[in-house]
Structures are given as C-alpha cells and as structure tokens.
Amino acid sequence: MNTNRKFFDPPKVLVSGFALIILVGAFLLMLPTATVDGKGLPFLDALFTATSATCVTGLVVVDTGTTFTLFGQLVILALIQVGGLGFMTFATLFAFLLGKRISLKERLLLQEALNQLSIEGIVRLVKRILVFTVVIEGIGGLLLAIRFSFDMPFWKAVYFGFFHAISNFNNAGFDLMGEFRSLTGYVDDPVVSLVVPILIILGGIGFIVMNEVYEYRQTSRLSLHTKVVAITTAWLLVASMALILLLEWNNPKTMGPLSLSGKFLSAFYQAVTPRTAGSNTLNIPDLTQPTLFLIVFLMFVGASPGSTGGGIKTTTFTTLLGAVWSQIRGKEDVILFRKRIVYDTVYKSLTVTMSGLFIVMFVTMVLTITESGKDFLMILFEATSAFGTVGLSMGLTPELSPLGKAVIILTMFAGRVGPLTIAYAVTLRRQPDPFRYPKGKIMIG
C-alpha cells in the first residue's frame, strides 16, 4: 500500500505527464510530414517547439507559419490546447465520453493540476472548464475569422481565426503570420487589438474565477480569491497601460506614427500580453528600455492560479504586497478585503517568489555565458519570458546556441509545471517534523 502511495504522488504524475506529452510532440514534429521542406525538425528544435507549445509559452526557434505544414501546425495546436488546460482535464473529458466514473485518485490529480484546495466539486468544475473553453474559443475564433476574411481566402481565414483564438486563450502566443511578425500588422485594428487581449485576459484570470462569476446570479457571492484576482488584474492592466502610453507615445519606432486610437489599442495590447500570452502588435526590440523593464516585471508576475498562464501569479504578488504593508504598519496579520491571510499562504507566496527569482537569476547568468556578446537586457528578457511562459522575445530565441536552447527548455518546463510542484515531485518525503526547535532571533534590515 505504501509503495502504491509513493507511486501515486500527484506532483510526480503531473511532472511525468507533461514530460511525456512534450516528448511525443517532439517526435511528431521530427516527422518529414511536419515541415514544409519534408525533412522534419532536428531533435533539439523539435523538443524546444514541443516544450514551448505544451508549456503554452510561445518562444520559437523557427517560424511557425512558414516552417510547418498543416500537420505540423495542428500538432502544435493540439499541444497548446492540452498544455493550456492540462492533460488531466483531457483525460477526464475522455472518461466522460466513455462513461467512466472518475476515481478518487483521478480527483486528487485534478485537484493538484487545477490548484484547488479540496476535491469537492472538482468534477463539476472540469465540466465547466470544458464548456467555457469551447464557448470562448468558438466566439473568439469566429470574430477573428470574420476579420481575417478581408485579408485572405475564406477557409484560410477560418483556420487562422481559430488557430489564433486557441493560441491566445491558452496564453501561448504562437502565430501563423510568418517571418516572426506576430500580429504587428494589426497594431491599429480594433477587432484584433480587442478580441485577442480579451481572450488572453479570460485565459489568464483562471477557471475558478470564471466559474464563480458564472454562478454569481445564484450565489450572490465572490470568494476572496476571485476578488484578489480581479482587483490585481485590473490594477496591473490600468497601471501598465498608462506607463506604456507615457513611455512610448513619441517613440518613432513604435507608437509615434500611430493615430490616437492606435496608440491606445497598442498600449492596451502590450499591457495585456505579458500576462502571459506572447503575441504582440508592437515590435518588441523597438520598445524603450523602461518599457522593456516594465514588461519583464509583468512577465514575472504573470497570470492567476488555475489559469492557462504562468508567472508567480497575481495572488502571490498581492499576498506579498499585503505582508509588506502589514509589516510597515506594525501589524501582525496580513489582511486582504477584511480577511486574515493564514501564515501558510504567506510562506508559500514567499517560497514561490524566491524560487522564481532564483530561477530567473540563474538562467540569466547561464545565458550570459552561453550567449556571450548579447545584450544583458535581451538575456534577462528571454529568461523571464521563458519562466513566465510568456513567449515575448527581443529576437534572441532563433539565435540561441544548443546549450542555450536546452536551458530555455528546462526553464519553460519549470515555469509551466511550477517550481514547487517539481520540488515536491523530487522530494522523497514530505511530512512535518515531529518536534520544534527553540526560538531564535536575528537582526533584519
């Protein structure tokens, strides 16, 4: 029994599951039918692309639109969908279709995968997630298809519309526009510049929040989690949009030539996409350094728990801000919306943040060695983008050395699965100490 419990450890299953999906995806992308030249991708490039798609990052070493055949693009799209919703969600979907009952073990896996506090109502939540996904991606795909139909043949527009809707709702950022352009050709287009960011926001706030908002008419209540996610997301969006407008308004390479509406649309898009989609309508290398540093910060914070995005998450960021504010005011408890945050949550927030900072710093240091001669901000930007599973790049990704690619692959994987989940997966035993040490004091500050 003990052996079975060790084998069935949710963090281990999740880490192994994501790794297996990536390897299968890499193998499929190596097939001759996956690429236009009929040769397939080399193993490292295939592994990089499969990891980026499964971890819904969007960093690419080859251009998606011009390198891959329809088969290769559909493989990437499938990896994005499975990676965004989680392979356990899809396993549950197949169980539903086969009429299978969801076992306790599967419910525990879903709890870990969806970052839930309990297994109560977990199956109902998965059903809602699938419905939300179909509806949101369907509406977004339809709107984008209509817009693209003015620029390309009808069926190509339909395919492009749904590809970009799925990619951005899952916060992946892969695009088919060619030549690493992303959506820069639609910088002042109101349809693309509003529909895509809305898809990103909906994918990034998390399915728990969506579900509570959906049930609000019956319950007339929102949890503390939903309130924190909503307020933090709104504040980050408004503040970052205002700063981007201020910093880029007269930049001749970005917003300078745009109309008034184009400036606001592009600022809105660039404020949303670092959280954590990766598509862009302004050319990233042309942004000013203060804007690039702001984007680094936004990428590190990322989306919200239980979403398709990465980063340390909005709730982690707000909890730490609450802890700092409480300390400044001389208060013992962290209070958010008149609720006391338990110490376990504060400690976990600190652990997640420090783990993320360590990963970004370490990866940045390694890349300064493997990619010597490259600008430091470009390297920091790439490392943070990989950890936050964002996909924005200043142009370094296609030029990465083999070792640099391997480092970014591991970083994307750690960012998607989560540093804590990986730590739990490799830890042999996790149980509280049977005793407590005496208190000790050290000077701080």
Side-chain angles (χ1 to χ4, degrees):
M1 182 175 179
N2 189 38
T3 304
N4 290 335
R5 286 184 65 185
K6 283 184 179 179
F7 179 77
F8 179 76
D9 189 355
K12 287 185 174 66
V13 173
L14 290 177
V15 171
S16 303
F18 268 102
L20 180 61
I21 291 168
I22 288 169
L23 289 174
V24 171
F27 170 76
L28 292 174
L29 293 177
M30 290 172 67
L31 297 176
T33 54
T35 56
V36 174
D37 62 9
K39 298 178 181 178
L41 283 187
F43 173 71
L44 189 58
D45 288 349
L47 184 64
F48 191 104
T49 305
T51 304
S52 183
T54 307
C55 297
V56 288
T57 304
L59 290 174
V60 289
V61 288
V62 294
D63 184 70
T64 309
T66 56
T67 302
F68 296 102
T69 60
L70 178 62
F71 172 79
Q73 292 171 7
L74 290 178
V75 168
I76 291 171
L77 197 62
L79 292 174
I80 289 171
Q81 191 72 86
V82 173
L85 300 186
F87 70 92
M88 274 310 301
T89 302
F90 275 87
T92 307
L93 170 61
F94 288 122
F96 290 154
L97 295 176
L98 296 173
K100 258 187 74 179
R101 190 173 179 276
I102 309 302
S103 67
L104 177 61
K105 287 184 178 181
E106 290 164 339
R107 291 169 194 261
L108 289 170
L109 278 171
L110 285 168
Q111 178 191 351
E112 180 74 21
L114 297 174
N115 202 15
Q116 293 290 286
L117 298 176
S118 72
I119 62 172
E120 183 181 356
I122 196 76
V123 175
R124 183 173 68 252
L125 177 60
V126 170
K127 291 179 180 177
R128 289 268 175 85
I129 288 172
L130 295 170
V131 172
F132 291 151
T133 301
V134 170
V135 171
I136 295 170
E137 290 180 352
I139 294 173
L142 184 61
L143 292 173
L144 290 176
I146 293 171
R147 174 60 190 88
F148 291 150
S149 66
F150 290 94
D151 302 328
M152 58 189 74
F154 176 75
W155 288 113
K156 183 178 180 180
V158 171
Y159 175 58
F160 269 49
F162 281 91
F163 185 100
H164 290 91
I166 293 170
S167 177
N168 285 285
F169 175 70
N170 287 283
N171 280 216
F174 279 80
D175 72 272
L176 301 176
M177 295 303 171
E179 300 177 1
F180 301 100
R181 287 181 299 153
S182 193
L183 296 171
T184 52
Y186 296 90
V187 61
D188 55 357
D189 185 277
V191 177
V192 174
S193 294
L194 290 175
V195 171
V196 173
I198 289 171
L199 287 168
I200 296 169
I201 292 170
L202 290 174
I205 61 174
F207 295 107
I208 306 136
V209 175
M210 278 193 228
N211 191 49
E212 285 194 16
V213 172
Y214 177 79
E215 293 180 341
Y216 183 75
R217 284 194 299 179
Q218 287 77 37
T219 61
S220 297
R221 61 176 293 275
L222 295 174
S223 67
L224 176 63
H225 170 83
T226 295
K227 291 176 183 176
V228 170
V229 168
I231 294 299
T232 307
T233 300
W235 271 107
L236 286 173
L237 177 58
V238 171
S240 55
M241 182 178 172
L243 283 172
I244 291 171
L245 278 170
L246 180 66
L247 295 168
E248 298 295 327
W249 189 272
N250 293 317
N251 185 345
K253 295 181 179 180
T254 56
M255 287 187 189
L258 298 177
S259 64
L260 183 63
S261 62
K263 292 178 190 290
F264 277 91
L265 286 172
S266 60
F268 176 62
Y269 199 110
Q270 264 56 232
V272 170
T273 193
R275 321 259 327 286
T276 56
S279 60
N280 53 285
T281 56
L282 292 177
N283 193 27
I284 298 300
D286 290 337
L287 296 170
T288 62
Q289 288 203 347
T291 304
L292 291 170
F293 193 78
L294 171 65
I295 291 176
V296 167
F297 164 74
L298 293 173
M299 292 192 298
F300 185 74
V301 174
S304 301
S307 72
T308 59
I312 63 169
K313 305 296 191 292
T314 52
T315 48
T316 303
F317 175 67
T318 302
T319 299
L320 286 183
L321 283 183
V324 171
W325 182 240
S326 295
Q327 190 66 220
I328 290 173
R329 296 173 63 209
K331 304 291 184 181
E332 185 176 345
D333 296 325
V334 178
I335 307 296
L336 296 175
F337 293 96
R338 298 185 178 181
K339 298 287 185 181
R340 178 173 57 85
I341 307 301
V342 296
Y343 288 129
D344 284 350
T345 302
V346 179
Y347 292 147
K348 187 175 181 180
S349 298
L350 182 61
T351 304
V352 168
T353 304
M354 291 305 297
S355 300
L357 279 173
F358 175 78
I359 290 172
V360 170
M361 290 169 61
F362 179 76
V363 171
T364 301
M365 182 181 71
V366 172
L367 290 178
T368 57
I369 299 171
T370 64
E371 317 304 314
S372 59
K374 299 295 183 182
D375 182 71
F376 177 78
L377 182 57
M378 177 184 281
I379 292 174
L380 174 64
F381 196 96
E382 194 85 5
T384 312
S385 181
F387 169 74
T389 67
V390 180
L392 292 175
S393 177
M394 292 177 63
L396 178 61
T397 310
E399 301 175 4
L400 286 170
S401 65
L403 185 55
K405 291 177 184 177
V407 170
I408 293 296
I409 287 171
L410 293 174
T411 308
M412 291 188 291
F413 187 78
R416 179 64 181 100
V417 178
L420 284 185
T421 301
I422 295 175
Y424 292 157
V426 299
T427 303
L428 296 177
R429 297 176 62 191
R430 298 195 311 275
Q431 58 186 30
D433 292 327
F435 57 88
R436 300 183 74 185
Y437 290 97
K439 289 183 178 180
K441 291 186 178 182
I442 58 175
M443 302 300 292
I444 299 293

